[in-house]
Amino acid sequence: MLKLVNITKDYTVADTKVHALKGISISFRSNEFVSILGPSGCGKTTLLNIIGGLDHYTSGDLYIDTISTKEFNDRDWDTYRNHRIGFIFQSYNLIPHQSILENVELALTISGMGKEERILKAKEALDKVGLKDQYNKKPNQLSGGQCQRVAIARALVNEPEILLADEPTGALDTKTSLQIMELIQEISKERLVIMVTHNPEIAQKYSTRIVSLLDGNIISDTNPYDEKAKTTTPKVIDKKSKLSFWTAFKLSARNLRSKFKRTLMVCIAGSIGIIGVASVLSVSTGVRSYIDGMQEDMLSGNPIRINEEAMNLELMMSSMDQSVQKDAIKKATEDGYINVDYMIDYLVSKSGENNSFRIKNDITEDYLAFVNNMPSEYYSTITSYYGINITNNIYTNIKLFEDNTLKNKSMSLSAIKKAYTAMLNETDIKEYSSLISTLADTFSQSVSNVDFISSQYDIISNKETSKIATEENEIMIVVDEDSGLTDLLLAQLGYYTQEEFFNVIYKAIKSPRYNPALDKGKFSYDELLNKTFTYYPNDVVFNKAKENSPFVKINPFSYNPESFSFWENRYDLKITAILRPKKNISYGCLTSGIYYTPQFTQKVIQDNVESEIVSYFKENNIESYTSGTMANSSQEQSINFGITYLYSFEFEEKKFENVVGFVGGTSSLSALFGAMTGEKKDYYTLTLREIGGCTLPNTISIYPKDFSYKENVTSYLNTWNSSKDIEVNGKILKAEDRNDITYSDNLAVMINMINSMIDIVTIALVTFTALSLVVSTVMIAIITYVSVIERIKEIGVIRSLGGRKKDVSHLFNAETFIIGGLSGLIGIGITYLLSGIANLIVSKAANISAIAILPIPTAIIMVVISILLTSISGVIPARIASKKDPVDALRTE
């Protein structure tokens, strides 16, 4: 069955070639006990390794059942060792981190046998060698003789045809040696046993044939075999040996478990990079989640707007990413000269840049109809605003000093604001007068959808008599989440007396004039609701100058700051409710103040669109009218021009008579006029829109139902700018007849800017922390190589049992896979722990529920990355392991 023909084996040691075998020719019977005797270095073990397929001959041929092995590849030799050869080594070569049952199973595992059958056969093999019921012991728990019995059981478990024993009793005492030899002798009755030994007595006693070697040649053979005497039928084994990755995985897992402390330290060290990257991503995701939640909350307070004029913030932000030229043109430096920085040129260029960001939309009746035809499921409400300043037309009662006594006066809201500003300007706290002039309008238009308002605000006044304003004559008060209104707002609405209001200021600046008895820190619902506000149209409050007046050109109209009982067209507004934001609303559609209905807006336009002042604006093609004071050089006095009025007030027992007031808001021209006159003066501008002279809105606000519908809204608006014809209310609007309209989504611009900043910071931090991943990868590669060095003998055992080079590679690839997985899991676990601690701290400090969130998919990806990196780091060590020579590996101590 086994025949060697003229086998030679040469080794190269340094520059010398060693001839270990010099033309060995020998044949063996299918069952006999052959002992190979000879001194050390004569080639006994080399011959045994060649017969076992661990080493390969230099020349000659080895026949297995008449089949030549010259054309055998690595896979064929692996299969040969696994199915036909059993090895018994002098030093047992058991794998220490496996039980003896697992050691015996290994040969069957490599052969691909199923688990149940594999365990049964391994136990039977151990039972035959006298190790019943000791299956779970580790090799270090056995005696030398027991270890050799395990080695014999492992050699026999796969029922090989040939048993090769290399000095099987060399490490045993005499008694144990006899027991082992008797066991091997019994085995030789069923198969071929070839034993290498130095002990001629053992060979004589137990062998049926003794072959003596000397200097690589056979010098004697006590029972040579004539292969011609019997014809052997070739035995073909088509089943290939294979160690599955799962089996390699389990073997590696056991090895790592046997070195638990070291494995844990390696995994913790490998997890540092994962912790760093995952923590950055966790905080980034948490911040994004917080911003997204805030964005969802802010959506109702930041609708999509179509403005007649506005700044294109999106274009402005995008331009910031581009490189810009130097701020001013500068000449080269030259000694003896002062260079000129062309600041004017710079300012002009910047002004041009700003103008390029300005949006000018032509809002027409067709466009208004187009917007209002938007599918209703996309939005909660669409509200049009006309730029009306109603404070010039709204009058209310206020208590002001007159002759040292507080008396009731009915003044317009704009006049109250100017009066308080004038009073402050006459005191040593005049720097605080800007607090009043910078306040927004006290009266504003609400949105048009009552349900939308009620979804965000609660009625806190008497619910039986209160309701959200819906009619022309109805208004409502909106307070903040703490049920508060600012003192400045209350003062301008006439709720504070003059004495009470200034007492608030004295308290703030810690003035000795402060009187605690005048403190008024709260108002009852009835005090707020019972306040009367009266509206008068333009023709009542604005008086046209007589045509024969010498000042008709510079003062075409005057204004009445106080109302009188004989005035006609009185229209009282009723406060119907006090609203407060619901607890879950941080950014509602209404801020603190008083709100009138869109129906009232239409009434104001109808009342005033043909008023005398509006007609004057239109006849003279005036969009905005500027009022102020200009110096008259010829008369050396100032002249008040524009729309003016006179009023008087008393402050700190001083009377100020015929104070000049101007109608309108502070103008951007103030600085320019002030520079021209050399004096710091304010100039006021009143626009056609503010007096109700425009029937088309200057702003349209669209409130999407939520973010899922926001894209639908913007897509619908974009169709206006498309090249397709649009049908609106049965009218076809051709593309060439439509002017492009640009809408503003300032919330999206702001959020995108914040997200871009988060992206930049995240990328920078991830890049920085990823360096630790590289360090971890190199470290694990080194540790894996150390593991290869530690397990060289295990590599030799696996190869001797028929394991492939690929199987050895799988063994170490599985080890790095496990380390990578454990490192990733530890890293993710620590990240979640740190995130929990961070969230706990932030929730208490800033009332934010979660600032660090690591999504499950991201966590899985990080574990995969950890496995991938460690697997890559193990490729080279695993490849080195697979190329280890099995003979050299088995010799390693």
Side-chain angles (χ1 to χ4, degrees):
M1 64 171 291
L2 185 64
K3 179 181 177 181
L4 283 72
V5 178
N6 201 26
I7 293 292
T8 66
K9 178 64 179 178
D10 298 332
Y11 293 104
T12 300
V13 180
D15 295 331
T16 306
K17 182 174 285 189
V18 178
H19 303 287
L21 298 178
K22 304 172 181 177
I24 299 293
S25 295
I26 188 171
S27 298
F28 297 96
R29 299 173 181 85
S30 58
N31 57 313
E32 61 176 334
F33 193 160
V34 181
S35 291
I36 299 177
L37 287 174
S40 298
C42 69
K44 302 187 301 297
T45 301
T46 300
L47 178 61
L48 199 70
N49 289 335
I50 288 174
I51 292 172
L54 285 176
D55 205 352
H56 301 311
Y57 47 85
T58 304
S59 64
D61 201 355
L62 172 65
Y63 290 89
I64 303 168
D65 288 340
T66 72
I67 299 173
S68 171
T69 60
K70 279 187 177 181
E71 303 300 325
F72 270 28
N73 56 29
D74 285 343
R75 188 70 187 274
D76 295 326
W77 285 115
D78 294 337
T79 302
Y80 167 67
R81 287 195 303 274
N82 185 249
H83 292 280
R84 291 195 165 190
I85 301 294
F87 283 97
I88 303 174
F89 303 101
Q90 179 180 353
S91 56
Y92 326 132
N93 288 340
L94 300 179
I95 298 174
H97 57 79
Q98 292 185 329
S99 68
I100 62 172
L101 180 64
E102 290 167 344
N103 269 275
V104 175
E105 275 187 74
L106 188 57
L108 300 174
T109 302
I110 293 173
S111 68
M113 185 176 291
K115 183 177 180 180
E116 292 185 5
E117 184 182 1
R118 189 172 70 227
I119 292 174
L120 181 62
K121 291 196 70 174
K123 286 182 177 179
E124 289 176 354
L126 286 169
D127 292 347
K128 286 180 181 179
V129 297
L131 292 174
K132 187 176 183 179
D133 298 329
Q134 299 190 54
Y135 311 130
N136 295 321
K137 286 186 177 181
K138 294 290 177 67
N140 61 2
Q141 297 174 307
L142 302 178
S143 65
Q146 288 175 318
C147 286
Q148 194 61 285
R149 288 173 185 270
V150 174
I152 294 171
R154 181 179 62 190
L156 295 176
V157 72
N158 221 13
E159 299 179 1
E161 300 165 10
I162 304 168
L163 186 65
L164 304 178
D166 188 3
E167 296 283 358
T169 60
L172 303 176
D173 59 73
T174 303
K175 182 179 178 181
T176 305
S177 296
L178 293 176
Q179 293 173 350
I180 294 300
M181 289 306 303
E182 287 173 0
L183 183 58
I184 294 174
Q185 186 181 44
E186 186 67 25
I187 293 168
S188 67
K189 294 177 182 179
E190 301 175 353
R191 67 202 75 217
L192 172 61
V193 175
I194 302 174
M195 179 181 71
V196 168
T197 182
H198 287 90
N199 192 330
E201 293 180 1
I202 289 179
Q204 291 288 344
K205 184 176 180 180
Y206 295 101
S207 301
T208 59
R209 180 181 177 184
I210 299 175
V211 178
S212 299
L213 259 66
L214 183 63
D215 296 332
N217 291 303
I218 296 176
I219 58 174
S220 67
D221 186 345
T222 61
N223 188 13
Y225 173 57
D226 184 5
E227 66 274 11
K228 296 180 181 178
K230 184 177 181 181
T231 303
T232 304
T233 302
K235 182 178 179 182
V236 180
I237 299 177
D238 56 0
K239 190 174 183 181
K240 303 294 183 180
S241 62
K242 180 182 179 182
L243 184 67
S244 67
F245 185 80
W246 174 240
T247 303
F249 184 90
K250 291 189 289 184
L251 289 173
S252 296
R254 293 191 192 107
N255 176 59
L256 293 173
R257 186 174 59 189
S258 68
K259 303 166 185 175
F260 175 76
K261 291 182 179 179
R262 189 177 80 171
T263 301
L264 181 61
M265 291 178 65
V266 170
C267 291
I268 291 174
S271 70
I272 293 173
I274 299 297
I275 294 169
V277 175
S279 296
V280 171
L281 295 176
S282 173
V283 173
S284 174
T285 304
V287 172
R288 287 181 189 278
S289 176
Y290 173 72
I291 290 172
D292 288 343
M294 182 177 67
Q295 186 179 12
E296 185 79 38
D297 197 13
M298 291 174 68
L299 183 61
S300 58
N302 294 271
I304 296 171
R305 287 192 172 93
I306 300 101
N307 296 300
E308 192 174 50
E309 287 192 17
M311 294 295 290
N312 191 333
L313 294 181
E314 187 174 2
L315 181 61
M316 185 182 295
M317 293 302 171
S318 63
S319 70
M320 291 173 65
D321 297 331
Q322 302 171 0
S323 61
V324 294
Q325 296 180 348
K326 291 184 177 180
D327 292 343
I329 301 171
K330 297 185 178 180
K331 299 294 183 181
T333 303
E334 186 176 349
D335 290 340
Y337 293 91
I338 302 299
N339 291 332
V340 175
D341 285 349
Y342 291 93
M343 186 55 66
I344 294 176
D345 184 64
Y346 168 70
L347 293 174
V348 169
S349 67
K350 284 299 177 183
S351 175
E353 288 178 14
N354 291 336
N355 287 335
S356 67
F357 301 135
R358 188 170 294 280
I359 299 170
K360 290 187 178 181
N361 291 320
D362 183 16
I363 300 177
T364 62
E365 292 283 359
D366 288 335
Y367 186 75
L368 187 59
F370 165 76
V371 173
N372 288 327
N373 277 349
M374 182 184 297
S376 59
E377 62 268 20
Y378 292 177
Y379 62 88
S380 296
T381 183
I382 297 176
T383 303
S384 298
Y385 299 91
Y386 294 81
I388 297 172
N389 182 3
I390 204 68
T391 58
N392 293 318
N393 301 76
I394 300 291
Y395 290 75
T396 190
N397 290 328
I398 183 171
K399 287 186 176 182
L400 299 176
F401 278 107
E402 186 175 318
D403 298 328
N404 294 325
T405 304
L406 284 174
K407 293 183 180 180
N408 274 326
K409 286 187 176 184
S410 179
M411 297 180 66
S412 69
L413 299 182
S414 62
I416 294 173
K417 185 174 181 179
K418 295 286 174 60
Y420 276 145
T421 303
M423 292 178 194
L424 284 173
N425 281 330
E426 297 298 330
T427 68
D428 55 356
I429 55 171
K430 57 185 177 183
E431 65 269 17
Y432 295 100
S433 64
S434 60
L435 294 176
I436 297 177
S437 61
T438 56
L439 262 184
D441 292 338
T442 51
F443 259 63
S444 306
Q445 179 189 315
S446 70
V447 298
S448 56
N449 190 320
V450 174
D451 292 335
F452 184 54
I453 297 173
S454 62
S455 68
Q456 298 183 15
Y457 295 87
D458 291 322
I459 297 175
I460 60 173
S461 53
N462 191 322
K463 291 182 174 57
E464 294 181 0
T465 59
S466 298
K467 75 180 189 71
I468 293 174
T470 56
E471 304 298 329
E472 286 182 356
N473 66 333
E474 294 178 341
I475 58 177
M476 54 193 174
I477 297 175
V478 177
V479 298
D480 61 24
E481 63 273 11
D482 298 320
S483 300
L485 291 169
T486 67
D487 47 13
L488 288 173
L489 178 66
L490 289 166
Q492 292 180 76
L493 293 174
Y495 285 101
Y496 277 120
T497 66
Q498 179 180 335
E499 185 180 33
E500 290 168 341
F501 173 56
F502 277 91
N503 192 63
V504 171
I505 296 175
Y506 294 148
K507 180 180 180 181
I509 65 174
K510 297 180 172 55
S511 170
R513 300 192 197 98
Y514 166 64
N515 182 1
L518 294 175
D519 264 348
K520 191 165 187 180
K522 58 186 177 181
F523 290 80
S524 68
Y525 291 163
D526 287 340
E527 285 180 282
L528 295 177
L529 292 171
N530 293 333
K531 185 75 171 171
T532 300
F533 295 93
T534 304
Y535 158 76
Y536 293 99
N538 286 344
D539 286 341
V540 176
V541 300
F542 291 103
N543 303 128
K544 188 174 182 180
K546 295 179 181 180
E547 293 183 2
N548 59 358
S549 170
F551 302 106
V552 67
K553 290 185 177 181
I554 61 173
N555 300 110
F557 285 86
S558 62
Y559 174 70
N560 295 312
E562 296 184 41
S563 67
F564 299 94
S565 59
F566 58 83
W567 280 7
E568 297 180 353
N569 298 320
R570 177 189 179 98
Y571 194 80
D572 288 336
L573 301 176
K574 178 184 178 183
I575 302 176
T576 61
I578 301 174
L579 305 182
R580 181 178 61 196
K582 294 180 182 293
K583 290 185 178 180
N584 62 331
I585 301 295
S586 299
Y587 302 91
C589 61
L590 307 174
T591 56
S592 299
I594 293 186
Y595 288 87
Y596 54 87
T597 64
Q599 290 83 350
F600 180 68
T601 299
Q602 293 304 315
K603 173 180 173 54
V604 172
I605 293 173
Q606 291 171 9
D607 288 347
N608 298 315
V609 72
E610 295 182 359
S611 63
E612 288 185 331
I613 189 170
V614 169
S615 298
Y616 176 82
F617 272 51
K618 290 180 177 179
E619 288 169 3
N620 291 277
N621 198 26
I622 297 172
E623 288 292 331
S624 62
Y625 192 89
T626 301
S627 303
T629 301
M630 183 177 292
N632 186 335
S633 58
S634 62
Q635 298 181 12
E636 297 184 354
Q637 63 180 9
S638 297
I639 298 174
N640 299 317
F641 65 92
I643 304 172
T644 64
Y645 59 90
L646 296 176
Y647 66 98
S648 301
F649 64 88
E650 186 175 315
F651 184 72
E652 295 183 353
E653 300 181 356
K654 294 181 183 179
K655 291 185 179 181
F656 298 85
E657 303 285 350
N658 298 322
V659 179
V660 178
F662 301 93
V663 179
T666 54
S667 170
S668 59
L669 295 175
S670 295
L672 180 59
F673 277 116
M676 292 171 60
T677 61
E679 298 181 19
K680 183 181 178 182
K681 293 184 180 296
D682 290 329
Y683 292 84
Y684 303 86
T685 301
L686 184 67
T687 66
L688 182 62
R689 283 196 171 279
E690 289 178 320
I691 56 177
C694 297
T695 56
L696 285 173
N698 66 338
T699 299
I700 304 172
S701 294
I702 305 169
Y703 296 82
K705 283 192 174 179
D706 52 43
F707 264 92
S708 63
Y709 284 103
K710 186 177 180 182
E711 188 174 345
N712 297 70
V713 173
T714 56
S715 296
Y716 178 84
L717 294 176
N718 288 335
T719 59
W720 179 269
N721 299 335
S722 68
S723 58
K724 298 179 181 179
D725 293 342
I726 299 174
E727 182 179 352
V728 179
N729 295 337
K731 180 181 179 181
I732 301 298
L733 303 176
K734 293 186 176 297
E736 58 269 20
D737 297 331
R738 303 193 308 264
N739 292 323
D740 285 355
I741 300 289
T742 304
Y743 58 82
S744 300
D745 188 1
N746 294 340
L747 177 61
V749 172
M750 180 181 67
I751 296 300
N752 288 338
M753 183 178 65
I754 294 173
N755 284 334
S756 296
M757 293 174 63
I758 294 173
D759 286 339
I760 293 170
V761 173
T762 301
I763 291 170
L765 291 177
V766 167
T767 302
F768 179 76
T769 53
L771 293 175
S772 58
L773 286 175
V774 177
V775 174
S776 299
T777 302
V778 175
M779 177 198 69
I780 291 173
I782 295 171
I783 291 172
T784 305
Y785 180 73
V786 171
S787 181
V788 170
I789 301 302
E790 290 176 343
R791 299 171 67 187
I792 287 179
K793 181 159 285 190
E794 183 178 342
I795 295 169
V797 172
I798 291 172
R799 294 301 309 280
S800 71
L801 295 176
R804 303 168 299 166
K805 291 180 179 179
K806 187 182 292 186
D807 297 333
V808 174
S809 181
H810 283 168
L811 196 66
F812 292 96
N813 285 333
E815 185 169 309
T816 54
F817 184 96
I818 294 169
I819 290 174
L822 290 175
S823 297
L825 292 173
I826 290 172
I828 295 302
I830 294 175
T831 301
Y832 277 121
L833 177 63
L834 294 176
S835 297
I837 294 172
N839 290 335
L840 186 63
I841 294 172
V842 172
S843 64
K844 290 185 176 180
N847 198 27
I848 298 174
S849 59
I851 201 65
I853 301 171
L854 186 65
I856 297 298
T858 303
I860 294 172
I861 290 172
M862 292 307 302
V863 173
V864 171
I865 289 174
S866 176
I867 293 172
L868 182 63
L869 289 176
T870 53
S871 297
I872 291 173
S873 72
V875 168
I876 294 177
R879 189 173 180 82
I880 292 173
S882 67
K883 290 186 175 182
K884 290 289 182 183
D885 183 272
V887 175
D888 293 338
L890 289 169
R891 289 174 182 164
T892 303
E893 295 298 333

